[in-house]
């Protein structure tokens, strides 16, 4: 059998990779990786031969990496330099001799001796300097990678069969291979929501690329309409709030003829027309989405502000716009987020909405699903029911030095990854937390534990760990803002 891996992966990892290959996934053959000669060239040019611990000229070192383009940008973060990068990638890592594309990244540089944070949003990225929570805590370097098929990081023409978790993991693997000769300290991967999922998939397929992983609010869904979310939303929070949400949905759909024209007019006036779905279907999807979005983003105490049945139309529309957002189902949103919905509908999975209490009012039953939000038919691609369970198995059985942060009230925590402490991996929940949960929002004892584990994984000395603990405390107090990796699909993406 042809050798598939350069590194001695565990037997389970090999089994997962082979299982994913049966679905068109798994690590690519050897020739998909950066050639050893290229890595050697980077080593020779980036680091002085007489003193490996001497800080190189970072711009010169970056320019020496084959396939990388570099442009320096401004940064307001003390002690850093900031670079906007593109990296030449194969559209299909299993056939690297074919089509190529330029994958966009940003680099926040402190020192080649500092740890490296490999970050992902799972979507597009902005091009202004910022630092994620692990980066700020560790005072580390940071590579923020744009996910394939988002922004300019898309092959032309695009073959959507190449938008898979295996291809994205191989993107990250080649990036790590190209940069590790320059940044030789410990590496930690991180991401939130879809970015957290991306970091977990990469780690499961290439366990030795990074030393640890911090994944925020990363779900593990089964199927494009996973019914487990329905159960979560039927028990989350208090019963009075859940009933108020259901009453709001029932009232809104009962007043469809009154409300739909106003929603359509407001969305169009805001530059977010609803032509693709049509105003009626878009309105129904917004109403079905409201419970999920409420618990994902809203403080529970705001439940009492939801309009009661019969409230004036402007109050109903204000609540719908504020909690769900007209943009969510608009033409520009569907165009921009099509890669996400494609992945959710073919491999990553998503949630089912509860329609039982709305019988007789729903005109498009069970149609609120990822496939409805992609501007082309995805049915021919089918859904891969194997990849996510295989990755779940790896995380629980073999995932080492992994930290998962979830929010107690966040619907995405329904399907939290399971871990084993004997693997030095942990899963922590922010009490009352939603989709913006983070290490800084954990109770003090758990926050201290998470920071200690992270600094230990990064090989920091005791004096450095004390500095890290102080930095984490300042972040928790709100003294220093950090860059969120959460992408809020209710709003237009940031272009910064």
């Amino acid at each position: 059998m042809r050798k598939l891996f350069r590194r001695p992966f565990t037997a389970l990892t090999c089994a997962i990779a082979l299982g994913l290959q049966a679905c068109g996934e798994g690590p690519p053959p050897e020739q998909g990786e950066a050639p050893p000669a290229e890595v050697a060239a980077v080593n020779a040019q980036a680091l002085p031969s007489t003193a490996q611990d001497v800080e190189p000229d970072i711009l010169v070192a970056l320019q020496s990496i084959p396939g990388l383009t570099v442009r320096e940008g401004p940064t307001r973060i003390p002690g850093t330099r900031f670079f906007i990068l593109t990296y030449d990638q194969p559209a299909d890592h299993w056939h690297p001799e074919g089509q190529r594309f330029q994958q966009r990244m940003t680099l926040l540089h402190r020192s080649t001796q500092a740890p490296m944070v490999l970050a992902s949003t799972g979507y597009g990225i902005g091009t202004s300097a910022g630092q994620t929570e692990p980066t700020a805590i560790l005072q580390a370097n940071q590579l923020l990678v744009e996910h394939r098929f988002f922004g300019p990081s898309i092959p032309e023409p695009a073959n959507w069969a190449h938008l898979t978790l295996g291809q994205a993991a191989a993107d990250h693997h080649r990036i790590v291979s190209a940069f590790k000769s320059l940044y030789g300290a410990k590496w930690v991967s991180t991401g939130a929501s879809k970015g957290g999922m991306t970091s977990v998939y990469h780690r499961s397929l290439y366990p030795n690329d990074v030393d640890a992983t911090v994944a925020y609010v990363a779900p593990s869904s089964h199927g494009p309409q996973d019914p487990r979310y329905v159960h979560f939303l039927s028990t989350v929070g208090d019963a009075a709030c859940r009933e108020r949400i259901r009453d709001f949905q029932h009232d809104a759909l009962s007043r469809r003829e009154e409300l739909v024209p106003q929603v359509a007019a407001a969305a169009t006036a805001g530059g977010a027309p609803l032509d693709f779905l049509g105003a009626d279907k878009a309105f129904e999807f917004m109403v079905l989405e409201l419970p999920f979005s409420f618990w994902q983003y809203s403080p529970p105490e705001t439940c009492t502000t939801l309009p009661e049945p019969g409230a004036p139309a402007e109050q109903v529309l204000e609540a719908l716009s504020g909690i769900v957002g007209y943009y969510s189902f608009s033409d520009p949103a569907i165009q921009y987020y099509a890669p996400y919905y494609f992945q959710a509908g073919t491999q990553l999975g998503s949630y089912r909405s509860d329609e039982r209490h709305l019988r007789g009012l729903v005109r498009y039953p069970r149609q609120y699903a990822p496939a409805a939000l992609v501007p082309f038919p995805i049915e021919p691609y089918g859904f891969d029911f194997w990849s996510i369970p295989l990755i779940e198995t790896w995380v629980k059985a073999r995932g080492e030095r992994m930290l998962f942060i979830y929010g107690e009230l966040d619907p995405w925590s329904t399907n939290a990854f399971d871990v084993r402490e004997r693997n030095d991996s942990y899963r922590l929940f922010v009490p009352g937390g939603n989709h913006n949960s983070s290490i800084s929002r954990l109770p003090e004892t758990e926050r201290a534990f998470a920071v200690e584990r992270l600094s230990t994984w990064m090989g920091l000395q005791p004096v450095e760990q004390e500095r890290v603990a102080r930095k984490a405390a300042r972040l928790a107090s709100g003294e220093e803002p950090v860059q969120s990796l959460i992408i809020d699909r209710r709003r237009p993406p940031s272009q910064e």
Side-chain angles (χ1 to χ4, degrees), residues 167-186:
Q167 295 282 2
D171 288 341
H172 284 71
H173 174 61
R174 290 190 75 251
I175 290 167
V176 172
S177 299
F179 279 80
K180 261 201 172 177
S181 57
L182 177 57
Y183 292 96
K186 299 283 188 178

Side-chain angles (χ1 to χ4, degrees), residues 221-462:
S221 304
H222 296 170
Q225 290 184 304
D226 191 331
R228 293 176 295 173
Y229 293 99
V230 172
H231 175 72
F232 179 91
L233 289 172
S234 69
T235 58
V236 66
D238 63 67
C241 183
R242 297 194 301 272
E243 185 64 26
R244 188 157 187 149
I245 291 172
R246 287 193 291 268
D247 288 345
F248 178 90
Q249 290 180 289
H250 194 281
D251 181 60
L253 289 180
S254 298
R255 300 164 62 181
R256 188 190 298 259
E257 305 306 323
E258 173 192 7
L259 298 176
V260 168
Q262 297 184 55
V263 168
T268 300
L274 308 174
D275 296 333
F276 175 76
L277 287 174
D280 191 64
K281 182 181 287 188
F283 174 77
E284 181 168 301
F285 285 3
M286 291 177 198
V287 174
L288 293 175
E289 168 64 21
L290 187 133
F292 200 100
S293 280
F294 178 85
W295 293 108
Q296 185 175 3
Y297 292 113
S298 303
E301 59 270 19
T302 63
C303 192
T304 58
T305 66
L306 273 175
E308 295 183 338
E314 57 268 23
Q315 293 183 17
V316 177
L317 298 179
E318 182 180 0
L320 197 61
S321 173
I323 296 173
V324 179
Y326 298 156
Y327 178 83
S328 299
F329 300 99
S330 69
D331 296 357
I334 288 173
Q335 185 66 36
Y336 182 82
Y337 290 110
Y340 162 71
Y341 291 117
F342 177 87
Q343 286 191 279
T346 57
Q347 196 169 34
L348 308 189
S350 189
Y351 50 89
R352 176 182 296 175
S353 294
D354 190 359
E355 301 174 4
R356 292 171 296 180
H357 60 293
L358 300 171
R359 288 192 179 100
L361 297 174
V362 173
R363 293 179 178 175
Y364 313 96
R366 293 286 178 87
Q367 290 187 39
Y368 182 33
L373 302 173
V374 179
F376 56 85
I378 69 170
E379 288 76 13
Y381 295 91
F383 189 87
D384 168 16
F385 285 95
W386 288 98
S387 292
I388 300 305
L390 284 168
I391 289 170
E392 286 178 336
T393 300
W394 180 87
V395 169
K396 184 173 182 178
R398 304 297 298 178
E400 298 180 342
R401 299 176 301 281
M402 303 186 78
L403 176 63
F404 290 86
I405 306 295
Y406 291 99
E408 178 188 20
L409 300 180
D410 181 16
W412 290 116
S413 69
T414 304
N415 303 320
F417 279 95
D418 198 6
V419 297
R420 288 178 175 169
E421 291 190 11
R422 71 185 187 193
N423 292 336
D424 199 12
S425 292
Y426 309 92
R427 187 178 70 178
L428 305 176
F429 286 79
V430 175
N434 60 18
H435 205 51
N436 292 307
S437 296
S438 63
I439 292 174
S440 299
R441 298 184 182 187
L442 287 167
E444 184 176 355
T445 300
E446 291 187 338
R447 183 177 71 243
F449 173 78
V451 171
E452 184 276 328
R453 285 291 80 204
L454 180 58
S455 58
T456 297
W457 292 339
M458 292 298 98
L460 301 185
Q461 299 301 313

